[in-house]
Amino acid sequence: GAGVSQSPSNKVTEKGKDVELRCDPISGHTALYWYRQRLGQGLEFLIYFQGNSAPDKSGLPSDRFSAERTGESVSTLTIQRTQQEDSAVYLCASSSSGPGTQYFGPGTRLLVL
Amino acid sequence: GIQVEQSPPDLILQEGANSTLRCNFSDSVNNLQWFHQNPWGQLINLFYIPSGTKQNGRLSATTVATERYSLLYISSSQTTDSGVYFCAVISSTGNQFYFGTGTSLTVIP
């Protein structure tokens, strides 16, 4: 498959636990975005990676959220000490250069009990 | 950040009807995209259209950047067109995509 993949597809966790979400972008895509989508709502920007530049973290809602990307490959989004309001679908998108045409993964549905 | 407003918020169409979805944005942009989110949650890019007009089958889009709006036209709608249509923009000075709240379209047979 040549698309963006995300894992796990679904994650149920208990309040206070840490979770790690993974995104595999399309090969060769230098730009990678993470978004959060709460039920029935639009997408909220979380973080943007472009090549080896410092990421744009301006959308991260709190210091419990962090993300890493190794070069131009896999990215992980980590949520520490999860809260019930973190329950949402977390979507990853990649594009070939800068903020160009984005291709989305299927998302990870996170439920915090 | 940029404010992105979409209208109408909800739309119900009879199969075969045409529709126009609108996206207004509050500042100059260098990137505008239309997406369709199907009932299973998958987001599909429809158009990358910071300006001008594009067509793809029954869909077309027009962005008038100087007047800060974009229109998505759906002709001869089909039940598979159902879902939520999002407009997303990036300002001329930033990297961050701002999404509208979407138009929820239901096409009934």
Side-chain angles (χ1 to χ4, degrees):
Chain A
V4 178
S5 61
Q6 292 187 244
S7 61
S9 301
N10 297 281
K11 177 72 177 179
V12 180
T13 190
E14 293 179 347
K15 178 181 173 181
K17 296 283 180 72
D18 298 351
V19 296
E20 191 172 276
L21 313 179
R22 177 186 169 108
C23 172
D24 283 87
I26 292 172
S27 178
H29 279 193
T30 59
L32 187 147
Y33 292 82
W34 282 99
Y35 297 91
R36 177 171 69 180
Q37 185 176 30
R38 291 196 167 112
L39 187 64
Q41 312 223 346
L43 277 71
E44 301 172 68
F45 165 81
L46 296 178
I47 189 168
Y48 165 61
F49 295 92
Q50 171 56 47
N52 294 317
S53 302
D56 178 349
K57 303 180 181 180
S58 59
L60 294 178
S62 77
D63 60 7
R64 297 187 296 105
F65 287 73
S66 62
E68 294 183 349
R69 187 181 187 196
T70 306
E72 295 181 355
S73 62
V74 171
S75 176
T76 55
L77 176 69
T78 301
I79 309 173
Q80 295 178 307
R81 305 181 302 281
T82 52
Q83 303 294 312
Q84 289 180 331
E85 65 261 27
D86 298 334
S87 297
V89 177
Y90 289 83
L91 290 154
C92 172
S94 70
S95 65
S96 59
S97 60
T101 301
Q102 294 187 90
Y103 298 88
F104 278 84
T108 293
R109 285 153 186 78
L110 174 66
L111 177 62
V112 182
L113 300 175
Chain B
I2 295 182
Q3 305 302 310
V4 183
E5 296 181 353
Q6 291 187 243
S7 60
D10 299 282
L11 186 59
I12 299 175
L13 295 177
Q14 196 78 40
E15 195 168 28
N18 303 327
S19 64
T20 301
L21 282 57
R22 186 176 180 104
C23 171
N24 292 333
F25 43 95
S26 62
D27 204 347
S28 60
V29 300
N30 61 11
N31 188 322
L32 186 146
Q33 297 180 32
W34 282 98
F35 295 90
H36 174 222
Q37 188 168 41
N38 66 23
W40 297 270
Q42 179 67 49
L43 274 155
I44 305 296
N45 184 290
L46 298 176
F47 293 103
Y48 167 75
I49 187 165
S51 63
T53 297
K54 289 186 177 179
Q55 179 154 9
N56 184 4
R58 296 181 296 103
L59 303 181
S60 63
T62 295
T63 297
V64 184
T66 53
E67 297 187 21
R68 299 182 183 170
Y69 73 88
S70 182
L71 302 174
L72 178 69
Y73 304 97
I74 304 173
S75 64
S76 304
S77 58
Q78 301 177 358
T79 56
T80 52
D81 295 332
S82 296
V84 182
Y85 290 80
F86 288 104
C87 165
V89 303
I90 294 182
S91 76
S92 300
T93 56
N95 301 311
Q96 181 179 144
F97 266 101
Y98 293 91
F99 278 73
T101 52
T103 292
S104 178
L105 173 65
T106 303
V107 180
I108 54 177

